[in-house]
Amino acid sequence: MLSLLLGIFTCVELNCENLFDTQHDSLKQDQEYLADGVRHWNRHRYWDKVNHIAKEIISCGDQPEGWGLPDFVALCEAENDSVMRDLTERSLLRNGGYRYVMTNSPDERGIDVALLYSTYSFHLIHSHSIRIDPMKGMRPTRDILYVMGTLVSGDTIHLMVVHAPSRFNGEKKTRPHRLLVAEKIIAAVDSIRSLSPQASIIIMGDFNDETDNHALRRLENKNLYDVSQGARGSNGAKGTYKYKSHWQNIDHIFVNEEMRKRLLSCVVHDPPFLLEDDRKYGGVKPRRNYNGYRYNNGYSDHLPLVARFRKEE
């Protein structure tokens, strides 16, 4: 709320690395995150994880103007309503004034996307899921979450949360799957623009692509701008995700021209507690929750993006 009083609002994007509860969903492939699964997931580890994600979100509120909780948090890899209720009502965030909306996707593992929003700074008007109908050879994937509402300043804002299909089986083979998601995003944006040409649009998520890949170039060709391009941290992170020795920016925040004019900054949030030494490849890496199947009691294999915008004048 502090930032909004100063004419600023903050958006965070975070893939929180398999935020699963400990209950089996018979319709999903979640067995590895059960007590008798290969990861030996249990209530103690679960609550450590929930509070770690809460701590990570809280830390994103440390801004030049002073500390204040982010206004929006886009989350990828949240399993269901149960974990989102625990995060917003029973974790370190319980007094933060957050509510959430999320998808209920056909993803085989049961992971979804969600948007936390501050009730102190945002009034929800509408939300819905955009289903991605799989093409031949494509696994069911996460829906796109669409949210519309108003800031307390009176601005109407349209937000989308995306978790595009992974590169499992190879980038080239799965490229059409991510292009399909990009086309769905474009169709939704075109629909918004047809009703409100000057609409404020923000699209956040794990796109599983870097800026120069085909799907993201398709978005840029439609006048959507990757304000997270080239984002860096202040403690050694050169991207949001590290694969072997290579830092990658596969998490992104796209905006339209209206929002690009109002951008103040976009950075990778990398305080030391979210990092650990990379003993194999040098430098640092995200302090993830699991290294392979070895429990690491960390946070996530991705680092958050934090974008700050001026309110509409």
Side-chain angles (χ1 to χ4, degrees):
M1 187 64 181
L2 171 65
S3 60
L4 202 61
L5 290 173
L6 296 172
I8 298 167
F9 68 92
T10 303
C11 295
V12 171
E13 185 281 332
L14 172 63
N15 181 319
C16 50
E17 188 197 357
N18 295 317
L19 184 54
F20 279 85
D21 64 19
T22 60
Q23 304 300 310
H24 177 46
D25 182 342
S26 61
L27 300 177
K28 301 296 182 181
Q29 298 174 9
D30 61 358
Q31 291 86 349
E32 65 181 290
Y33 280 92
L34 300 175
D36 58 355
V38 293
R39 298 187 185 276
H40 305 292
W41 196 236
N42 55 41
R43 295 291 292 176
H44 178 74
R45 291 183 175 185
Y46 167 71
W47 279 108
D48 277 351
K49 173 76 172 184
V50 169
N51 279 308
H52 278 178
I53 296 300
K55 179 181 177 182
E56 187 167 0
I57 292 169
I58 291 168
S59 73
C60 291
D62 188 10
Q63 299 297 324
E65 301 80 17
W67 182 87
L69 283 171
D71 299 285
F72 301 101
V73 184
L75 294 178
C76 299
E77 296 196 12
E79 185 184 15
N80 52 34
D81 277 298
S82 176
V83 301
M84 294 306 300
R85 283 195 301 270
D86 286 343
L87 180 63
T88 54
E89 298 177 11
R90 301 178 67 191
S91 77
L92 296 172
L93 279 178
R94 62 187 175 273
N95 295 320
Y98 281 115
R99 293 183 183 171
Y100 71 91
V101 286
M102 73 180 308
T103 56
N104 184 15
S105 305
D107 179 85
E108 293 173 346
R109 295 180 60 236
I111 55 174
D112 276 289
V113 300
L115 181 74
L116 274 64
Y117 61 91
S118 170
T119 55
Y120 300 122
S121 57
F122 180 74
H123 171 66
L124 175 70
I125 296 175
H126 173 74
S127 69
H128 68 262
S129 296
I130 301 171
R131 182 59 47 92
I132 310 297
D133 295 321
M135 60 178 61
K136 184 178 180 180
M138 177 181 174
R139 297 177 179 179
T141 192
R142 281 74 58 176
D143 295 348
I144 299 167
L145 176 63
Y146 166 77
V147 179
M148 181 183 72
T150 56
L151 296 170
V152 293
S153 59
D155 303 3
T156 297
I157 193 163
H158 304 261
L159 304 107
M160 284 181 250
V161 186
V162 179
H163 187 186
S166 76
R167 296 184 172 202
F168 186 76
N169 291 329
E171 188 278 328
K172 186 174 182 179
K173 185 174 181 179
T174 58
R175 185 184 302 164
H177 306 168
R178 291 182 295 282
L179 281 166
L180 177 62
V181 172
E183 293 301 330
K184 284 285 189 177
I185 295 170
I186 290 167
V189 169
D190 285 345
S191 179
I192 295 167
R193 285 170 167 164
S194 69
L195 297 172
S196 179
Q198 303 303 316
S200 299
I201 302 171
I202 302 176
I203 305 161
M204 302 180 279
D206 178 354
F207 288 78
N208 274 304
D209 267 330
E210 297 193 79
T211 302
D212 59 349
N213 291 127
H214 291 70
L216 302 195
R217 290 209 305 268
R218 183 80 180 98
L219 297 179
E220 290 175 339
N221 290 339
K222 287 292 184 175
N223 297 319
L224 294 168
Y225 303 97
D226 185 359
V227 297
S228 54
Q229 182 176 358
R232 296 289 186 269
S234 56
N235 289 294
K238 300 176 182 178
T240 57
Y241 182 81
K242 193 175 186 182
Y243 178 70
K244 296 184 177 179
S245 62
H246 178 53
W247 281 98
Q248 299 177 326
N249 279 312
I250 59 175
D251 301 278
H252 300 271
I253 298 177
F254 280 85
V255 301
N256 64 340
E257 177 64 22
E258 172 68 19
M259 290 307 305
R260 184 171 72 159
K261 293 175 182 176
R262 294 158 59 184
L263 178 74
L264 295 173
S265 64
C266 185
V267 300
V268 177
H269 183 61
D270 67 339
F273 75 89
L274 293 181
L275 303 170
E276 61 185 6
D277 291 336
D278 190 339
R279 296 175 181 174
K280 185 171 184 179
Y281 296 105
V284 294
K285 62 181 181 179
R287 184 184 165 193
R288 58 191 302 165
N289 209 33
Y290 279 89
N291 287 313
Y293 290 106
R294 181 175 62 82
Y295 182 58
N296 195 45
N297 194 25
Y299 292 79
S300 175
D301 53 350
H302 292 241
L303 294 168
L305 287 169
V306 180
R308 299 163 61 249
F309 299 90
R310 294 193 313 273
K311 72 174 185 178
E312 191 173 27
E313 297 178 355

